[in-house]
Amino acid sequence: MRIRLEPVTIENWYDCTNLKVKPEQQCVFPAPVVSWIAEAKFVSEFQLRAVYGNEELVGFIVFCNKPDGDGNYWIPAVMIDEKYQGRGYGKAALQILIELMSEMGFKRLMIGHRPNNQIAGRLYESLGFEKVSEEVVDGEIVRLLQIF
C-alpha cells in the first residue's frame, strides 16, 4: 500500500467533498469535508491534505501550522472514506503526517476524538498519543503526542 498526502487544490477539492464516513459515524465526524474546506478559507492556520492510497483518493486530514497559546499543534480532522476504512489507510496517513509535522519542527501534537469513538482512540494510542486528562473537553477526549 502506497500512501501519500497531497495539498487540497483546485484539481482535487471537489473530489474531496465526495468523501464521507459511514452513516453510523455521522455522530463522531459530523462536519462534511466541504465544511472544513470552507473553514480553511477563513482560518489561515488550517492546512488541508488529501490522503491518497495506491493513487486513489481515500481520505482527508486537517492540521494546524500555528501553535495554540500552550505551544500545541492541533490535528482537528482525520477522515477515511467509508469504502476504505479498516485497511490501514488512517494509521499510515497519520504516520506520514506526524513525520511531516516533526520535520516542520512541531514538538507537541494534539488530537481529539469523541468518547464513543473507540476505534479512533485505539488508533491514536497506537501512534503514541496519550490522554491529556480523563476529563472530556468540548465533547472530546484530548490526546498529546510529544515529539523529542
Side-chain angles (χ1 to χ4, degrees):
M1 165 174 43
R2 187 165 109 52
I3 301 291
R4 70 182 200 284
L5 305 182
E6 296 290 334
V8 174
T9 65
I10 190 78
E11 288 82 20
N12 66 5
W13 76 270
Y14 185 75
D15 291 336
C16 288
T17 67
N18 291 315
L19 296 167
K20 60 184 183 232
V21 294
K22 296 174 183 174
E24 64 270 18
Q25 295 171 318
Q26 292 288 324
C27 62
V28 295
F29 196 88
V33 171
V34 70
S35 295
W36 288 104
I37 293 171
E39 191 170 354
K41 292 298 176 190
F42 301 99
V43 180
S44 63
E45 62 265 21
F46 278 8
Q47 298 294 305
L48 311 178
R49 294 294 182 271
V51 179
Y52 288 89
N54 301 326
E55 303 307 314
E56 288 188 71
L57 178 64
V58 299
F60 180 80
I61 292 179
V62 180
F63 71 97
C64 295
N65 65 0
K66 294 180 185 154
D68 65 15
D70 296 321
N72 302 311
Y73 291 86
W74 284 84
I75 304 170
V78 176
M79 185 267 237
I80 300 298
D81 186 83
E82 64 181 341
K83 297 184 300 252
Y84 300 99
Q85 291 179 14
R87 299 185 193 177
Y89 290 116
K91 185 171 188 172
L94 276 169
Q95 288 170 324
I96 292 168
L97 180 64
I98 291 166
E99 184 177 319
L100 171 68
M101 293 176 82
S102 177
E103 289 170 2
M104 296 171 87
F106 304 169
K107 300 295 182 201
R108 295 176 52 88
L109 309 185
M110 302 291 282
I111 198 163
H113 63 89
R114 304 264 194 262
N116 59 341
N117 192 349
Q118 296 170 354
I119 293 171
R122 286 192 300 272
L123 170 61
Y124 302 155
E125 278 183 10
S126 77
L127 293 167
F129 285 90
E130 298 178 3
K131 281 185 186 178
V132 172
S133 77
E134 291 301 317
E135 291 182 38
V136 175
V137 179
D138 292 332
E140 293 194 333
I141 294 172
V142 177
R143 296 181 181 270
L144 165 70
L145 175 64
Q146 182 75 46
I147 299 174
F148 299 99

